[in-house]
Amino acid sequence: MAAATSQSPNRPNVLLIMSDEQRWDSLGCNGNRAAHTPHIDALAHRGASFDHCYVTYPLCCPSRMSLWTGLMPHDHHGLGNWRWLRADLRDRGLVRPFADHGYHTIYCGKWHVPGTTPSRMGFADTGAIPAVLNGRDRGRYIEEYRQYATAQGYQLVPGHIENLTPSDVVQPEDPNTAHYGTAEIALEHFLETWQTTRFLEQLDRRPEDRPFFAVCSFNAPHFPMIVPEPYDRLIDPDAIDLSPGFCNGLEGKPREVIESPYHVTGWSEREWRRLIAHYHGLCALVDAQVGRVLDRLDATGELDNTIVVFTSDHGDMLGAHCLNKKGYPLHYEEAL
């Protein structure tokens, strides 16, 4: 977090960078010895790290609704994915006061707040917004990105919400192995790289005489763990510290764990380590994009007048309590 300069002490810019499904302990600044997150670590060391902060719900839509409204799920009515935001909140929220007080507002990337849009909630310049398919904001399914990737010569599976190629889809299909793999799409054309470029274009075209409130919302490290080179092999699986409750059996576990669709048995510890290494590879990819954005602000002289916030909507179980992915509906530490 950077302090405002003397030139505009009361009008700092605000930059919110958001990842998707990233655990608090995936960062080097939070003690993870396997992590490769130098840019986010530098933010934490320079500013403030809120290491006792919890999300309101371990699921995308409810958590994001709470972020933008400042309300708990029982108040904004988003008590699950695909539940629509309370009707009278669809044109209000965190960004509206900034817009009303002259800030130029930017939103780029994953939205995932059913029932409203970034434009309705006060964002003037929006980009890389996912498509709504069958009434659902599909996160990674960004029409303009799919057009871009196709123009680069990649064949994406028609209608597949994760922007995967046919060879990508095959990699996570074996039920006896953890689901990870190397992306066919090269890093220079991968979704996060492309989205950061789009966001920087939005920053470049902002009015120079107004402060900005800008959001760059990434999809990584959300599953599937299909990771571009070299991030697919950046993290050493043997260096990973597993959660204290890692795959510790079902004895004493509540029914919600035993019956959870995220309950996993049969994967070896080696497979889990490889999956988690790919997850941390995506975290490192996000960190690199954070570095690109901060470098641009530094080059334009705006960094010292910008409050930078990095956060995520929730975490990932990564094998804790025999659960993968969100672990929903259980409110375990790893997911909150």
Side-chain angles (χ1 to χ4, degrees):
M1 184 180 295
T5 66
S6 59
Q7 294 179 340
S8 57
N10 298 317
R11 305 281 283 177
N13 304 311
V14 179
L15 169 63
L16 173 62
I17 303 176
M18 191 172 188
S19 59
D20 191 348
E21 201 158 317
Q22 184 168 359
R23 283 168 56 141
W24 75 276
D25 59 359
S26 66
L27 304 175
C29 61
N30 287 336
N32 191 315
R33 64 191 182 103
H36 185 82
T37 53
H39 300 291
I40 300 171
D41 295 346
L43 280 178
H45 292 310
R46 182 179 180 182
S49 180
F50 296 92
D51 53 7
H52 286 74
C53 186
Y54 288 79
V55 298
T56 60
Y57 209 84
L59 201 60
C60 297
C61 294
S63 181
R64 290 167 183 268
M65 289 181 184
S66 289
L67 172 65
W68 296 119
T69 65
L71 299 173
M72 294 294 287
H74 60 269
D75 285 323
H76 60 57
H77 294 182
L79 292 169
N81 273 353
W82 321 125
R83 306 285 184 88
W84 277 36
L85 182 68
R86 207 177 80 197
D88 62 314
L89 299 174
R90 294 172 188 172
D91 300 290
R92 298 162 49 188
L94 173 64
V95 73
R96 182 64 65 183
F98 286 91
D100 291 345
H101 286 81
Y103 274 69
H104 178 65
T105 52
I106 298 171
Y107 196 97
C108 183
K110 184 170 183 175
W111 177 239
H112 226 33
V113 180
T116 190
T117 65
S119 298
R120 285 191 63 171
M121 295 197 86
F123 290 98
D125 185 355
T126 61
I129 306 300
V132 176
L133 304 176
N134 299 321
R136 296 182 174 185
D137 166 354
R138 294 313 321 196
R140 293 174 185 251
Y141 196 98
I142 301 172
E143 294 281 7
E144 56 181 318
Y145 173 70
R146 294 178 69 86
Q147 294 170 6
Y148 166 82
T150 301
Q152 308 310 309
Y154 297 103
Q155 177 189 353
L156 301 182
V157 178
H160 199 292
I161 64 173
E162 305 293 355
N163 298 324
L164 299 180
T165 69
S167 63
D168 291 335
V169 170
V170 170
Q171 295 183 76
E173 286 187 343
D174 185 348
N176 298 313
T177 60
H179 301 161
Y180 58 84
T182 300
E184 180 181 350
I185 299 176
L187 175 61
E188 63 184 299
H189 302 305
F190 202 69
L191 175 60
E192 269 62 39
T193 307
W194 171 86
Q195 183 190 325
T196 303
T197 300
R198 290 284 285 108
F199 178 67
L200 293 177
E201 292 170 352
Q202 290 176 276
L203 282 180
D204 287 345
R205 65 174 178 251
R206 72 187 188 276
E208 294 184 0
D209 59 344
R210 296 166 59 192
F212 64 80
F213 183 105
V215 180
C216 188
S217 176
F218 293 111
N219 282 274
H222 191 288
F223 60 85
M225 304 307 167
I226 304 298
V227 186
E229 297 179 328
Y231 292 95
D232 60 327
R233 58 182 185 274
L234 179 66
I235 307 300
D236 178 6
D238 293 328
I240 291 169
D241 293 322
L242 300 174
S243 297
F246 173 76
C247 288
N248 55 355
L250 295 177
E251 183 178 356
K253 292 290 190 293
R255 174 177 55 83
E256 288 82 0
V257 169
I258 299 170
E259 298 179 358
S260 171
Y262 301 112
H263 172 221
V264 177
T265 58
W267 294 353
S268 67
E269 181 179 312
R270 184 62 180 167
E271 282 294 290
W272 274 108
R273 286 184 174 275
R274 288 174 174 168
L275 170 77
I276 297 169
H278 280 70
Y279 173 86
H280 285 304
L282 288 176
C283 293
L285 172 58
V286 170
D287 183 83
Q289 307 314 306
V290 172
R292 290 178 62 194
V293 174
L294 297 180
D295 285 347
R296 177 65 61 86
L297 291 177
D298 192 26
T300 59
E302 291 285 354
L303 185 58
D304 284 340
N305 191 42
T306 302
I307 296 170
V308 181
V309 180
F310 179 83
T311 190
S312 188
D313 55 357
H314 56 80
D316 192 301
M317 296 303 293
L318 297 180
H321 306 284
C322 302
L323 295 169
N324 194 24
K325 303 177 182 178
K326 299 169 175 57
Y328 166 81
L330 294 134
H331 286 51
Y332 279 121
E333 191 88 5
E334 293 82 358
L336 290 173

